[in-house]
Amino acid sequence: MVKPSKRKEMSSPIYVGREDDIKKLQRTTATVHGRQVVIFYHGGHFYALDCRCYHAGGPLHLGEIEEINGQSCIICPWHKYKITLNTGEGLYQAINPKEPSAVPKWKSKGEKQRTHRVTVDNGNVYVTLSDLMEYKESDYYAEKYKTEKIAEK
């Protein structure tokens, strides 16, 4: 949880790259107020999430993006957890054994991965951290792998 005095500082947008460069690469990583973030460009939209998977800290920037149940998802390369790019929901397949056909259906675990706001201004891409007052499961690994920015003199 972030102290109230730091909230305003942490809510300021941070430059993470040029729009054309990120579109070309389709993903990049950046440190935003000491937090490792991955920025994706997929389907004509920018998305930003904590870089480490909420499940076990897997490196989401190395995962593949797939369309699942009409939603763009990053697949964690470690344990194949599926996370929506837009909301950070964890998705899984479930069956109802009482149904005669027992066809797997996609279900949501809820918003597990922290997402952040991406803005583009004059060809520059910025990330603003989401409100850190509400706990998300990815916060554990974001703190564990936190990088401290060297103070500028």
Side-chain angles (χ1 to χ4, degrees), residues 4 27 40-41 48-49 56 70 84 86 91 95 97-98 100 103 119 128:
R27 67 183 69 196
F40 294 104
Y41 181 75
L49 297 89
T84 64
N86 195 38
L91 299 182
I95 61 168
K98 295 180 182 178
V103 176
T119 54
T128 305

Side-chain angles (χ1 to χ4, degrees), residues 14 25 31 34 39 54-56 58 73 79-80 83 91 97 101 113 116 118 121 132 143:
I14 298 296
L25 295 170
T31 300
I39 301 95
Y54 72 89
H55 169 246
C73 297
H79 301 108
K80 307 304 180 209
I83 303 165
L91 299 182
S101 62
Q113 191 75 24
H116 306 286
V118 180
D121 182 25
L132 302 177
E143 286 298 315

Side-chain angles (χ1 to χ4, degrees), residues 13-132:
I14 298 296
Y15 172 80
V16 295
R18 295 284 304 154
E19 179 180 12
D20 291 340
D21 294 338
I22 297 173
K23 283 181 174 180
K24 186 176 173 183
L25 295 170
Q26 298 189 348
R27 67 183 69 196
T28 191
T29 58
T31 300
V32 178
H33 298 297
R35 196 174 187 102
Q36 292 180 357
V37 174
V38 58
I39 301 95
F40 294 104
Y41 181 75
H42 179 76
H45 301 282
F46 286 98
Y47 304 93
L49 297 89
D50 282 349
C51 198
R52 298 290 180 156
C53 178
Y54 72 89
H55 169 246
L60 294 180
H61 64 285
L62 299 178
E64 296 296 322
I65 295 176
E66 294 181 16
E67 297 298 317
I68 296 174
N69 205 31
Q71 299 180 78
S72 299
C73 297
I74 185 69
I75 311 303
C76 180
W78 283 4
H79 301 108
K80 307 304 180 209
Y81 273 54
K82 290 136 181 73
I83 303 165
T84 64
L85 293 178
N86 195 38
T87 64
E89 284 180 272
L91 299 182
Y92 68 100
Q93 281 191 312
I95 61 168
N96 181 349
K98 295 180 182 178
E99 288 182 7
S101 62
V103 176
K105 295 179 183 172
W106 287 103
K107 303 284 184 177
S108 173
K109 297 177 185 179
E111 294 178 9
K112 305 288 189 176
Q113 191 75 24
R114 185 170 298 283
T115 59
H116 306 286
R117 189 164 56 100
V118 180
T119 54
V120 179
D121 182 25
N122 203 24
N124 296 317
V125 179
Y126 300 87
V127 170
T128 305
L129 295 180
S130 62
D131 185 358
L132 302 177

